[in-house]
Amino acid sequence: MTTLQMETLNACPLCGTAALHHTLTAPDYESHTGDYGIDECGDCGAAFTNPRPVEADLPKLYAQRSTVDFPALDSGLVAHLRDFAIDRYLADPLRCLNSAPAEHGLDILDYGCGDGALARGLVRAARKHGRGYRITATDFHDAAPPRLAGIESIRYVPQARSQNEDVRYHAIFLRHVVEHHPQPDRLIRELKTRLHPGGRLFIEVPNRRSVWARAFGGAYCAYNLPRHLFHFDARSLTGAIERGNLRCERVALAHTPLLGHSLGYLLSRKIQNTGLVGVATYPVQVAVDALARTSSTLRATAIADG
């Protein structure tokens, strides 16, 4: 079992308000490090894990690339469906980026690249659109994820080294990343300095207002305690972006499979979101969320004005 140094927060990490409301307590279903609570700020509406691991210990939670954040693609069909989903996810951001003049191509950063699925999607998109994308991927690890091995058009840089680079980007993707950071506004503020004027952050996070969060309670896999340090709704995500000194252009509802792992947590069984159960139940998940006028994820676009 991983040993973590913990901290307990007495005020909201985003706005500093001490008026906190405890919403639930749930275990770490992945590596069994203990039970964790989720508190909600009475002022800005942010929800956050409390207590939580200290920032210096966070890399320990991803050391093996074996948690829910690194999906196991156990069949060619599932891998193909995931690539299709990534391509659909990229369609709107790249339509926006491709419409802007870029004589010398576009510099794009996949921040917190995980298993490299989004970076590989950018390579496919560059071929499809005939665009010159200079793609950089970064994460906690010293070495690139195995699925990026041998792809010369993707430059992998460990985060410790990436932070010291003087490189500006037209776009930075944070797909299921911001919820892992102890101070999302600080992360956004830091990444703003790495954007060209008019550059964009494309953010996707789980939506804690999903109907499935109410249905599964602490077994809702999108809570992913203690790896997810923040649990966003549209209001708190917009607030984090604005506190990071970017303009929030839009927050949209979106979907990603989550019933597999949630059922697995509830039933104490190994069930993958990207396995047959997760894929088979995905249409039901989307339909129920649509009826409830909510979603499993939120997608935000933030702009560095000036």
Side-chain angles (χ1 to χ4, degrees), residues 10 13 15 17 29-30 32 41 44 76 78 107 133 154 158 164 178 193 197 199 202 263 271 279 284-285 292 304:
N10 297 314
C15 71
T17 296
Y29 287 98
E30 292 291 326
H32 312 290
C41 176
C44 72
V78 172
D107 290 290
Y133 298 159
I154 299 175
N164 297 320
V178 177
T193 67
F202 295 102
L263 287 168
I271 304 176
V279 171
V284 175
Q285 173 194 316

PDB file of all heavy atoms in Angstrom, residues 10 13 15 17 29-30 32 41 44 76 78 107 133 154 158 164 178 193 197 199 202 263 271 279 284-285 292 304:
ATOM      1  N   ASN A  10      -8.516  23.838   6.164  1.00  0.00           N
ATOM      2  CA  ASN A  10      -9.521  24.518   6.975  1.00  0.00           C
ATOM      3  C   ASN A  10     -10.221  25.634   6.217  1.00  0.00           C
ATOM      4  O   ASN A  10     -11.099  26.305   6.763  1.00  0.00           O
ATOM      5  CB  ASN A  10      -8.877  25.086   8.241  1.00  0.00           C
ATOM      6  CG  ASN A  10      -8.298  24.000   9.131  1.00  0.00           C
ATOM      7  OD1 ASN A  10      -8.949  22.987   9.380  1.00  0.00           O
ATOM      8  ND2 ASN A  10      -7.067  24.186   9.592  1.00  0.00           N
ATOM      9  N   PRO A  13      -9.310  26.071  -1.007  1.00  0.00           N
ATOM     10  CA  PRO A  13      -8.036  26.376  -1.680  1.00  0.00           C
ATOM     11  C   PRO A  13      -8.181  27.389  -2.812  1.00  0.00           C
ATOM     12  O   PRO A  13      -7.188  27.978  -3.229  1.00  0.00           O
ATOM     13  CB  PRO A  13      -7.585  25.018  -2.239  1.00  0.00           C
ATOM     14  CG  PRO A  13      -8.412  23.998  -1.551  1.00  0.00           C
ATOM     15  CD  PRO A  13      -9.690  24.671  -1.184  1.00  0.00           C
ATOM     16  N   CYS A  15     -10.795  30.120  -2.945  1.00  0.00           N
ATOM     17  CA  CYS A  15     -11.178  31.478  -2.547  1.00  0.00           C
ATOM     18  C   CYS A  15     -10.812  31.819  -1.108  1.00  0.00           C
ATOM     19  O   CYS A  15     -10.942  32.970  -0.687  1.00  0.00           O
ATOM     20  CB  CYS A  15     -12.674  31.699  -2.774  1.00  0.00           C
ATOM     21  SG  CYS A  15     -13.739  30.796  -1.618  1.00  0.00           S
ATOM     22  N   THR A  17     -12.308  30.882   1.661  1.00  0.00           N
ATOM     23  CA  THR A  17     -13.427  30.914   2.593  1.00  0.00           C
ATOM     24  C   THR A  17     -13.368  29.720   3.551  1.00  0.00           C
ATOM     25  O   THR A  17     -13.087  28.596   3.135  1.00  0.00           O
ATOM     26  CB  THR A  17     -14.760  30.895   1.816  1.00  0.00           C
ATOM     27  OG1 THR A  17     -14.848  32.089   1.045  1.00  0.00           O
ATOM     28  CG2 THR A  17     -15.950  30.824   2.763  1.00  0.00           C
ATOM     29  N   TYR A  29     -10.472   3.399  -3.838  1.00  0.00           N
ATOM     30  CA  TYR A  29     -10.760   2.079  -4.382  1.00  0.00           C
ATOM     31  C   TYR A  29      -9.601   1.507  -5.183  1.00  0.00           C
ATOM     32  O   TYR A  29      -9.549   0.306  -5.436  1.00  0.00           O
ATOM     33  CB  TYR A  29     -11.990   2.143  -5.293  1.00  0.00           C
ATOM     34  CG  TYR A  29     -13.303   2.301  -4.574  1.00  0.00           C
ATOM     35  CD1 TYR A  29     -13.892   3.563  -4.442  1.00  0.00           C
ATOM     36  CD2 TYR A  29     -13.972   1.208  -4.041  1.00  0.00           C
ATOM     37  CE1 TYR A  29     -15.116   3.717  -3.795  1.00  0.00           C
ATOM     38  CE2 TYR A  29     -15.190   1.349  -3.391  1.00  0.00           C
ATOM     39  CZ  TYR A  29     -15.752   2.610  -3.278  1.00  0.00           C
ATOM     40  OH  TYR A  29     -16.962   2.761  -2.633  1.00  0.00           O
ATOM     41  N   GLU A  30      -8.661   2.361  -5.603  1.00  0.00           N
ATOM     42  CA  GLU A  30      -7.591   1.913  -6.488  1.00  0.00           C
ATOM     43  C   GLU A  30      -6.396   1.347  -5.729  1.00  0.00           C
ATOM     44  O   GLU A  30      -5.960   0.232  -5.999  1.00  0.00           O
ATOM     45  CB  GLU A  30      -7.135   3.075  -7.383  1.00  0.00           C
ATOM     46  CG  GLU A  30      -8.169   3.516  -8.398  1.00  0.00           C
ATOM     47  CD  GLU A  30      -8.397   2.491  -9.485  1.00  0.00           C
ATOM     48  OE1 GLU A  30      -7.423   1.802  -9.870  1.00  0.00           O
ATOM     49  OE2 GLU A  30      -9.540   2.368  -9.948  1.00  0.00           O
ATOM     50  N   HIS A  32      -6.046   1.727  -2.128  1.00  0.00           N
ATOM     51  CA  HIS A  32      -6.411   1.413  -0.739  1.00  0.00           C
ATOM     52  C   HIS A  32      -5.557   2.160   0.284  1.00  0.00           C
ATOM     53  O   HIS A  32      -5.036   1.589   1.225  1.00  0.00           O
ATOM     54  CB  HIS A  32      -6.320  -0.093  -0.515  1.00  0.00           C
ATOM     55  CG  HIS A  32      -7.002  -0.904  -1.582  1.00  0.00           C
ATOM     56  ND1 HIS A  32      -8.371  -0.931  -1.723  1.00  0.00           N
ATOM     57  CD2 HIS A  32      -6.486  -1.669  -2.581  1.00  0.00           C
ATOM     58  CE1 HIS A  32      -8.680  -1.702  -2.755  1.00  0.00           C
ATOM     59  NE2 HIS A  32      -7.564  -2.156  -3.293  1.00  0.00           N
ATOM     60  N   CYS A  41     -17.210  24.381  -0.689  1.00  0.00           N
ATOM     61  CA  CYS A  41     -17.092  25.768  -0.228  1.00  0.00           C
ATOM     62  C   CYS A  41     -18.444  26.452  -0.305  1.00  0.00           C
ATOM     63  O   CYS A  41     -19.115  26.415  -1.348  1.00  0.00           O
ATOM     64  CB  CYS A  41     -16.067  26.508  -1.082  1.00  0.00           C
ATOM     65  SG  CYS A  41     -15.928  28.267  -0.687  1.00  0.00           S
ATOM     66  N   CYS A  44     -17.652  29.989  -3.069  1.00  0.00           N
ATOM     67  CA  CYS A  44     -17.439  29.860  -4.511  1.00  0.00           C
ATOM     68  C   CYS A  44     -18.016  28.571  -5.094  1.00  0.00           C
ATOM     69  O   CYS A  44     -18.051  28.400  -6.309  1.00  0.00           O
ATOM     70  CB  CYS A  44     -15.953  29.964  -4.850  1.00  0.00           C
ATOM     71  SG  CYS A  44     -14.960  28.527  -4.372  1.00  0.00           S
ATOM     72  N   GLY A  76      -8.902  -4.775 -29.723  1.00  0.00           N
ATOM     73  CA  GLY A  76      -8.732  -3.850 -30.836  1.00  0.00           C
ATOM     74  C   GLY A  76      -9.945  -2.971 -31.037  1.00  0.00           C
ATOM     75  O   GLY A  76      -9.827  -1.797 -31.387  1.00  0.00           O
ATOM     76  N   VAL A  78     -12.128  -1.884 -28.725  1.00  0.00           N
ATOM     77  CA  VAL A  78     -12.174  -0.842 -27.699  1.00  0.00           C
ATOM     78  C   VAL A  78     -11.145   0.243 -27.996  1.00  0.00           C
ATOM     79  O   VAL A  78     -11.421   1.437 -27.859  1.00  0.00           O
ATOM     80  CB  VAL A  78     -11.959  -1.448 -26.300  1.00  0.00           C
ATOM     81  CG1 VAL A  78     -11.800  -0.363 -25.250  1.00  0.00           C
ATOM     82  CG2 VAL A  78     -13.129  -2.355 -25.937  1.00  0.00           C
ATOM     83  N   ASP A 107       1.961  25.304 -32.383  1.00  0.00           N
ATOM     84  CA  ASP A 107       2.607  24.628 -31.264  1.00  0.00           C
ATOM     85  C   ASP A 107       1.528  24.235 -30.261  1.00  0.00           C
ATOM     86  O   ASP A 107       0.781  25.085 -29.771  1.00  0.00           O
ATOM     87  CB  ASP A 107       3.630  25.550 -30.597  1.00  0.00           C
ATOM     88  CG  ASP A 107       4.830  25.786 -31.500  1.00  0.00           C
ATOM     89  OD1 ASP A 107       5.602  24.837 -31.692  1.00  0.00           O
ATOM     90  OD2 ASP A 107       4.982  26.919 -31.993  1.00  0.00           O
ATOM     91  N   TYR A 133       1.418  20.651 -37.049  1.00  0.00           N
ATOM     92  CA  TYR A 133       1.325  20.716 -35.603  1.00  0.00           C
ATOM     93  C   TYR A 133       2.649  20.273 -35.002  1.00  0.00           C
ATOM     94  O   TYR A 133       3.151  19.188 -35.307  1.00  0.00           O
ATOM     95  CB  TYR A 133       0.235  19.779 -35.070  1.00  0.00           C
ATOM     96  CG  TYR A 133      -1.173  20.082 -35.530  1.00  0.00           C
ATOM     97  CD1 TYR A 133      -2.151  19.086 -35.480  1.00  0.00           C
ATOM     98  CD2 TYR A 133      -1.548  21.334 -35.993  1.00  0.00           C
ATOM     99  CE1 TYR A 133      -3.449  19.335 -35.886  1.00  0.00           C
ATOM    100  CE2 TYR A 133      -2.838  21.593 -36.403  1.00  0.00           C
ATOM    101  CZ  TYR A 133      -3.793  20.586 -36.355  1.00  0.00           C
ATOM    102  OH  TYR A 133      -5.079  20.828 -36.756  1.00  0.00           O
ATOM    103  N   ILE A 154       5.989  13.545 -32.058  1.00  0.00           N
ATOM    104  CA  ILE A 154       5.614  13.948 -30.703  1.00  0.00           C
ATOM    105  C   ILE A 154       6.870  14.063 -29.854  1.00  0.00           C
ATOM    106  O   ILE A 154       7.646  13.113 -29.746  1.00  0.00           O
ATOM    107  CB  ILE A 154       4.644  12.933 -30.052  1.00  0.00           C
ATOM    108  CG1 ILE A 154       3.353  12.826 -30.862  1.00  0.00           C
ATOM    109  CG2 ILE A 154       4.329  13.350 -28.615  1.00  0.00           C
ATOM    110  CD1 ILE A 154       2.408  11.751 -30.356  1.00  0.00           C
ATOM    111  N   PRO A 158       9.514  15.482 -19.663  1.00  0.00           N
ATOM    112  CA  PRO A 158       9.042  15.356 -18.274  1.00  0.00           C
ATOM    113  C   PRO A 158       8.654  16.723 -17.720  1.00  0.00           C
ATOM    114  O   PRO A 158       9.277  17.738 -18.039  1.00  0.00           O
ATOM    115  CB  PRO A 158      10.256  14.780 -17.537  1.00  0.00           C
ATOM    116  CG  PRO A 158      11.078  14.124 -18.595  1.00  0.00           C
ATOM    117  CD  PRO A 158      10.878  14.939 -19.840  1.00  0.00           C
ATOM    118  N   ASN A 164      10.816  24.507 -17.104  1.00  0.00           N
ATOM    119  CA  ASN A 164      11.947  25.426 -17.282  1.00  0.00           C
ATOM    120  C   ASN A 164      12.182  25.792 -18.739  1.00  0.00           C
ATOM    121  O   ASN A 164      13.119  26.537 -19.039  1.00  0.00           O
ATOM    122  CB  ASN A 164      13.218  24.773 -16.713  1.00  0.00           C
ATOM    123  CG  ASN A 164      13.111  24.525 -15.213  1.00  0.00           C
ATOM    124  OD1 ASN A 164      12.587  25.361 -14.482  1.00  0.00           O
ATOM    125  ND2 ASN A 164      13.609  23.386 -14.751  1.00  0.00           N
ATOM    126  N   VAL A 178      -6.861  19.005 -14.625  1.00  0.00           N
ATOM    127  CA  VAL A 178      -7.033  20.090 -13.651  1.00  0.00           C
ATOM    128  C   VAL A 178      -7.542  19.557 -12.315  1.00  0.00           C
ATOM    129  O   VAL A 178      -7.154  20.060 -11.247  1.00  0.00           O
ATOM    130  CB  VAL A 178      -7.980  21.168 -14.220  1.00  0.00           C
ATOM    131  CG1 VAL A 178      -8.217  22.265 -13.190  1.00  0.00           C
ATOM    132  CG2 VAL A 178      -7.400  21.764 -15.494  1.00  0.00           C
ATOM    133  N   THR A 193       1.335  31.789 -18.863  1.00  0.00           N
ATOM    134  CA  THR A 193       2.627  32.363 -19.261  1.00  0.00           C
ATOM    135  C   THR A 193       3.261  31.582 -20.403  1.00  0.00           C
ATOM    136  O   THR A 193       4.228  32.054 -21.000  1.00  0.00           O
ATOM    137  CB  THR A 193       3.607  32.387 -18.069  1.00  0.00           C
ATOM    138  OG1 THR A 193       3.950  31.044 -17.695  1.00  0.00           O
ATOM    139  CG2 THR A 193       2.990  33.098 -16.872  1.00  0.00           C
ATOM    140  N   PRO A 197      -0.195  35.227 -27.033  1.00  0.00           N
ATOM    141  CA  PRO A 197      -1.386  36.071 -26.890  1.00  0.00           C
ATOM    142  C   PRO A 197      -2.509  35.534 -27.774  1.00  0.00           C
ATOM    143  O   PRO A 197      -2.303  35.234 -28.948  1.00  0.00           O
ATOM    144  CB  PRO A 197      -0.906  37.447 -27.363  1.00  0.00           C
ATOM    145  CG  PRO A 197       0.569  37.429 -27.102  1.00  0.00           C
ATOM    146  CD  PRO A 197       1.017  36.025 -27.364  1.00  0.00           C
ATOM    147  N   GLY A 199      -3.805  32.679 -27.269  1.00  0.00           N
ATOM    148  CA  GLY A 199      -3.766  31.222 -27.159  1.00  0.00           C
ATOM    149  C   GLY A 199      -4.859  30.705 -26.246  1.00  0.00           C
ATOM    150  O   GLY A 199      -5.443  31.443 -25.449  1.00  0.00           O
ATOM    151  N   PHE A 202      -7.687  24.246 -23.454  1.00  0.00           N
ATOM    152  CA  PHE A 202      -8.852  23.401 -23.637  1.00  0.00           C
ATOM    153  C   PHE A 202      -8.880  22.418 -22.468  1.00  0.00           C
ATOM    154  O   PHE A 202      -7.981  21.594 -22.321  1.00  0.00           O
ATOM    155  CB  PHE A 202      -8.793  22.673 -24.978  1.00  0.00           C
ATOM    156  CG  PHE A 202      -8.856  23.592 -26.159  1.00  0.00           C
ATOM    157  CD1 PHE A 202      -7.710  23.913 -26.875  1.00  0.00           C
ATOM    158  CD2 PHE A 202     -10.056  24.157 -26.555  1.00  0.00           C
ATOM    159  CE1 PHE A 202      -7.757  24.768 -27.958  1.00  0.00           C
ATOM    160  CE2 PHE A 202     -10.121  25.020 -27.639  1.00  0.00           C
ATOM    161  CZ  PHE A 202      -8.968  25.335 -28.347  1.00  0.00           C
ATOM    162  N   LEU A 263     -19.569   0.751 -11.372  1.00  0.00           N
ATOM    163  CA  LEU A 263     -20.152  -0.544 -11.016  1.00  0.00           C
ATOM    164  C   LEU A 263     -19.116  -1.437 -10.344  1.00  0.00           C
ATOM    165  O   LEU A 263     -19.417  -2.156  -9.391  1.00  0.00           O
ATOM    166  CB  LEU A 263     -20.709  -1.230 -12.270  1.00  0.00           C
ATOM    167  CG  LEU A 263     -22.002  -0.642 -12.839  1.00  0.00           C
ATOM    168  CD1 LEU A 263     -22.283  -1.221 -14.219  1.00  0.00           C
ATOM    169  CD2 LEU A 263     -23.169  -0.910 -11.900  1.00  0.00           C
ATOM    170  N   ILE A 271     -13.973  -3.944 -13.169  1.00  0.00           N
ATOM    171  CA  ILE A 271     -14.737  -3.630 -14.381  1.00  0.00           C
ATOM    172  C   ILE A 271     -14.169  -2.340 -14.952  1.00  0.00           C
ATOM    173  O   ILE A 271     -14.055  -1.339 -14.235  1.00  0.00           O
ATOM    174  CB  ILE A 271     -16.236  -3.473 -14.087  1.00  0.00           C
ATOM    175  CG1 ILE A 271     -16.794  -4.726 -13.407  1.00  0.00           C
ATOM    176  CG2 ILE A 271     -17.009  -3.188 -15.372  1.00  0.00           C
ATOM    177  CD1 ILE A 271     -18.254  -4.607 -12.988  1.00  0.00           C
ATOM    178  N   VAL A 279     -18.273   0.064 -22.254  1.00  0.00           N
ATOM    179  CA  VAL A 279     -18.673   0.497 -23.599  1.00  0.00           C
ATOM    180  C   VAL A 279     -20.142   0.184 -23.846  1.00  0.00           C
ATOM    181  O   VAL A 279     -20.887   0.997 -24.400  1.00  0.00           O
ATOM    182  CB  VAL A 279     -17.776  -0.170 -24.659  1.00  0.00           C
ATOM    183  CG1 VAL A 279     -18.309   0.102 -26.062  1.00  0.00           C
ATOM    184  CG2 VAL A 279     -16.341   0.337 -24.536  1.00  0.00           C
ATOM    185  N   VAL A 284     -26.573   4.094 -22.414  1.00  0.00           N
ATOM    186  CA  VAL A 284     -27.516   4.294 -21.307  1.00  0.00           C
ATOM    187  C   VAL A 284     -27.081   5.480 -20.460  1.00  0.00           C
ATOM    188  O   VAL A 284     -27.892   6.325 -20.061  1.00  0.00           O
ATOM    189  CB  VAL A 284     -27.611   3.017 -20.452  1.00  0.00           C
ATOM    190  CG1 VAL A 284     -28.504   3.254 -19.231  1.00  0.00           C
ATOM    191  CG2 VAL A 284     -28.120   1.852 -21.278  1.00  0.00           C
ATOM    192  N   GLN A 285     -25.783   5.542 -20.179  1.00  0.00           N
ATOM    193  CA  GLN A 285     -25.246   6.646 -19.382  1.00  0.00           C
ATOM    194  C   GLN A 285     -25.559   7.990 -20.028  1.00  0.00           C
ATOM    195  O   GLN A 285     -26.054   8.910 -19.361  1.00  0.00           O
ATOM    196  CB  GLN A 285     -23.732   6.485 -19.249  1.00  0.00           C
ATOM    197  CG  GLN A 285     -23.031   7.649 -18.578  1.00  0.00           C
ATOM    198  CD  GLN A 285     -21.529   7.607 -18.766  1.00  0.00           C
ATOM    199  OE1 GLN A 285     -20.917   6.554 -18.632  1.00  0.00           O
ATOM    200  NE2 GLN A 285     -20.944   8.747 -19.086  1.00  0.00           N
ATOM    201  N   ALA A 292     -31.665  14.082 -17.698  1.00  0.00           N
ATOM    202  CA  ALA A 292     -31.484  14.892 -16.493  1.00  0.00           C
ATOM    203  C   ALA A 292     -30.870  16.259 -16.809  1.00  0.00           C
ATOM    204  O   ALA A 292     -30.651  17.060 -15.896  1.00  0.00           O
ATOM    205  CB  ALA A 292     -30.592  14.150 -15.502  1.00  0.00           C
ATOM    206  N   ALA A 304      -6.217  33.444 -23.460  1.00  0.00           N
ATOM    207  CA  ALA A 304      -5.249  34.399 -22.931  1.00  0.00           C
ATOM    208  C   ALA A 304      -5.360  35.682 -23.734  1.00  0.00           C
ATOM    209  O   ALA A 304      -4.703  35.848 -24.772  1.00  0.00           O
ATOM    210  CB  ALA A 304      -3.836  33.822 -23.014  1.00  0.00           C
TER     211      ALA A 304
END
